Amino acid sequence: MMKITAKQNVWLNTTAWTAPQIRRGKLLPAVTVRDDVLGSAELGEYLDWVAWLDDLARRASNGQDEEARQLALAKLRFLLRRVQQLREQLMQGGRGQAKAGLEQLSRLVEEWVQVVQELTGRQPAVVDDWPLPYRLYSRQAAVIPLLPVPLTIERRRQPRVGGNILLPQEQQAAWLVLHAIRFVLTLVGEGFGLTQHPLLLQLSLQLAQVEPLIGAEVAATG
């Protein structure tokens, strides 16, 4: 039987990635609980993440780059946690859960793609509840307008100069999510014998197309 071991990255301490315990009274009135949230403990953790992301999204709406990036990084951390939970469910459920797991993974991949594209100045289709309020551009790429216009509006218009603009922590987080996603794909494909499943092939292609946007992975040091 195939033995799968998760890729470890000792450079980034993920033990500090638990969502802060935020009072759920701060949640927005309409909260949609995803169908991949199971059990009271998982639901409680999920609602804490939602409350935290709701708060970050409100702050990011002010148009400050730092706050928008905090939201994007939190989204990556939330994605990592959800992919890890999906992996655990699949390892417990076995082959019978493989196809449903692939469908759940497809949604997570879409969200990962959105965050990476948001951080690299693209204009992706919105697939989550906390899209960035504007695209992030390199400040060196800014062109002084002839007429005064709001900064966020002008930055939406300006073309982005080449090169990926993920900050180091964002890049590390994006790579961790990518490794976690690929682990699940390997589990479903090689572990459960679905290497030729159309959805698995589609997700693998999607990951390969977006991976160059996050830049080369930096080896762990120390």
Side-chain angles (χ1 to χ4, degrees):
M1 177 174 293
M2 182 198 66
K3 180 180 180 181
I4 301 175
T5 57
K7 180 178 178 66
Q8 299 295 320
N9 187 329
V10 297
W11 191 16
L12 189 59
N13 178 15
T14 59
T15 60
W17 279 22
T18 302
Q21 297 298 313
I22 300 175
R23 287 189 309 164
R24 298 189 189 120
K26 293 183 179 180
L27 287 174
L28 296 178
V31 177
T32 301
V33 177
R34 301 185 67 93
D35 56 9
D36 55 352
V37 179
L38 303 173
S40 58
E42 290 85 356
L43 177 59
E45 180 184 356
Y46 180 85
L47 292 177
D48 285 333
W49 277 104
V50 168
W52 186 35
L53 288 162
D54 280 344
D55 185 56
L56 290 175
R58 282 190 287 267
R59 297 180 192 178
S61 64
N62 294 325
Q64 299 297 317
D65 277 8
E66 181 179 358
E67 293 175 342
R69 288 189 176 277
Q70 288 176 357
L71 173 60
L73 182 59
K75 289 165 64 174
L76 287 171
R77 292 173 171 175
F78 185 40
L79 276 169
L80 179 62
R81 178 59 180 149
R82 288 160 61 199
V83 176
Q84 290 172 337
Q85 289 177 327
L86 176 59
R87 178 197 65 199
E88 294 166 3
Q89 292 170 14
L90 287 172
M91 294 183 74
Q92 293 174 3
R95 182 183 173 88
Q97 300 295 322
K99 293 183 179 179
L102 270 180
E103 293 174 357
Q104 292 182 25
L105 186 64
S106 176
R107 293 195 292 268
L108 298 176
V109 169
E110 288 180 349
E111 292 184 34
W112 179 79
V113 169
Q114 178 188 329
V115 180
V116 171
Q117 289 184 332
E118 286 175 331
L119 286 171
T120 52
R122 275 69 177 176
Q123 190 173 14
V126 174
V127 296
D128 75 344
D129 295 324
W130 306 280
L132 299 192
Y134 54 83
R135 286 179 287 172
L136 292 167
Y137 293 97
S138 171
R139 289 299 184 182
Q140 285 87 8
V143 177
I144 299 176
L146 297 178
L147 297 174
V149 295
L151 179 60
T152 55
I153 295 177
E154 182 59 29
R155 282 165 54 208
R156 290 192 189 100
R157 296 174 180 168
Q158 298 302 332
R160 186 180 67 90
V161 172
N164 99 70
I165 57 174
L166 271 70
L167 299 179
Q169 193 175 16
E170 297 162 353
Q171 188 179 51
Q172 294 168 40
W175 270 109
L176 279 180
V177 178
L178 179 57
H179 288 315
I181 290 171
R182 284 180 169 160
F183 178 86
V184 175
L185 287 175
T186 301
L187 174 63
V188 172
E190 298 181 16
F192 299 152
L194 296 178
T195 54
Q196 298 304 311
H197 191 284
L199 184 53
L200 187 149
L201 297 175
Q202 175 186 325
L203 293 178
S204 298
L205 177 60
Q206 193 173 8
L207 295 176
Q209 291 173 336
V210 177
E211 178 183 334
L213 297 180
I214 64 180
E217 185 176 18
V218 180
T221 59

